[in-house]
Amino acid sequence: MSFLERFKQLDWDDIALSIRSKTASDVERALHKEKRDLEDFKALISPAAEPYIEQLAQLSYSLTRQRFGNTLSFYIPLYLSNLCANACTYCGFSMENRIKRRTLSLHEVERELAVIKQMQFDNVLLVTGEHETKVGMNYFRQILPLIKRQVSYVAMEVQPLQQAHYAELKSLGLDAVMVYQETYHPSTYALHHLRGNKMDFNFRLETPDRLARAGIDKIGLGALIGLEDWRADCFYVAAHLDYLEKRYWKTRYSISFPRLRPCEGGLQPKSVMSDKQLVQLICAFRLLNSEVELSLSTRESAHFRDKLIPLGITSISAGSKTQPGGYAMQEAELEQFVISDERTAEQVAAAVKGQGFEVVWRDWHAAYSG
Amino acid sequence: MLTIANKQFESRLFTGTGKFANRELMTKAIATSGSQMATMALKRVDLNQLNDDILAPLIESGVHLLPNTSGAKNAKDAIFAAHLAREALSTSWLKLEIHPDPKYLMPDPIETLKAAEQLVKDGFIVLPYCHADPVLCKRLEEVGCAAVMPLGAPIGSNKGLVSRDFLEIIINQARVPVIIDAGIGAPSHAAFAMELGADAVLVNTAIAAARDPIQMALAFKLAVESGRMAYEAGLATQVHHAIASSPLTAFLDQ
């Protein structure tokens, strides 16, 4: 049994239609319940819920404060390599883009870590393109122990791996893995993943099952908002979360909300999500699930991020560079996507504190890993 | 005066250090609460430097530190973390928290008992966070825990003493102090816990997430004092009906 079986029972068109046909009274019922289910979530992300945005935000704010307090966790991505054997229409690392490629050596990783530690970070997300032979298990085996010596909480966003490999990486200190399905619509998925292993929709879809079975502490889910009807895609994310939480009760989960941004290749989103709709979505996730971590990257602008922070977000990146070697060296032409919040980590921390939140740089001890 | 492992506490209110909007608010709230012992998560502090921005103000305030193992999912990890903490912070006091379930943060009774037994042997003063399970509390007492910390309600829920009936059994049976931890959401809950005969309460979210944490800290201080005073004064029995003039036994006097 994996999520694939559950997935096969879901019908995209039925779901999209059911979301669109939710009414104001469905929304009000969902708002007034103490515990909400996936049907309520549909109502909360539906067009019918847009006029209720302030109520959603108020509820989301108070649920988030109760669980997470007046705090916000900080993490930073560390790009290790932009080598990629996939051709994906939306990504700057796509093998078809003629950009400079590099993979950081152990020595270069040390240099990046030195800068990252100086910024106070203790929670790092390792990012690579997907290149099985050059940036695969052998590379991860070398790099993880090195990073774990300096950083308490280590997350990864790389190609999907086998369960046994995840278990091995866990023993080397890996704590969390982000694996976004991009879109849960198989034929749209096929349109955007043209070459390489990433074409395998099902293998990716079953990755969170493998991760949880390998005992990874935290799994990050999400859809690349804009590839398909965002409401239906985000419903699938919620259904995926619901399935995982019930099956793997020892795992933590986080949800991310990447919206399509301009990058080399310049793909235009099929479904455009407004700022207001992103607020609606974040609040809807919080109302569905008071405990799940909600994460926001520097894809969003500084101004908008500052406004979003109190509404339900629990963890943000700051001071990010999206190219390998970006912290110690500066070579902008290697980057995966253009970041919109260009403030330094210190500036973001000051803005967060200015809004009455404590920055949590450290929330893990390596004794709990492995 | 409350005594735990030969240490005396005038205040029966223990506090947490998480969820505050800033460090200054945290230290002021703790000071206002009168609390003499505050718990802090090992995972939130840098054990390698005592000038860590959470540790330093706590150490300076003079409050007794109660490091906790929140984040540990099993006995092995908790024991390892406890030893690291003892070495770095020079304290044998430990709030043992093991919750493998990150959603509801429910304490694992089996791993907690295992870890408690080992840590007592290793010379720790162990205060285990546990379910309001009377048998488990007796077992924890038997392996040498210095106190037990049963929950009133799910952690962070602010729901009060939903486990009341079990807490009463625990309080009646215990030969070590009973500190009610988790779920206390309002000063009235704290006062009620003290009236039931709890030796102390531990409060975090209800203070840290209040609109005015400092005022709320004071409110809890007063509630705990008043609840304790009421317990010591001996509460009059509650009755839900008028007492009839001996209709069943009047014949004895005839």
Side-chain angles (χ1 to χ4, degrees), chain A residues 34-35 65-71 73 120 215-217 245 249-252 289-291 356-370, chain B residues 19-23 42-47 52 68-73 77-78 80-81 84 100-105 156-159 205 208-210:
Chain A
E34 201 179 326
K35 284 275 167 205
R65 298 290 73 80
Q66 188 181 340
R67 170 75 179 194
F68 298 90
N70 299 306
T71 66
S73 285
Q120 281 203 67
I216 294 292
D217 177 61
E245 268 199 343
W249 62 281
K250 289 187 179 180
T251 313
R252 274 199 281 170
N289 189 316
S290 346
E291 299 86 15
F357 294 93
E358 185 65 271
V359 174
V360 176
W361 298 99
R362 175 185 296 271
D363 195 21
W364 192 251
H365 195 286
Y368 303 141
S369 303
Chain B
K19 300 191 179 182
F20 284 97
N22 59 63
R23 309 284 184 248
L42 293 171
K43 62 177 182 163
R44 285 269 167 106
V45 299
D46 186 349
L47 291 176
D52 174 276
N68 73 60
T69 56
S70 162
K73 290 184 173 182
D77 292 355
F80 185 59
L84 288 176
D101 149 33
K103 188 174 170 77
Y104 298 107
L105 303 171
S157 70
N158 292 339
K159 286 187 175 167
T205 306

Side-chain angles (χ1 to χ4, degrees), chain A residues 22 34 60 92 128 147 170 185 212 230 258 277 295 318 324 335 362:
Chain A
K22 291 291 177 190
E34 201 179 326
S60 175
T128 70
I147 292 167
K170 176 181 153 78
H185 191 292
W230 68 262
Q277 289 165 341
S295 178
E335 68 194 9
R362 175 185 296 271

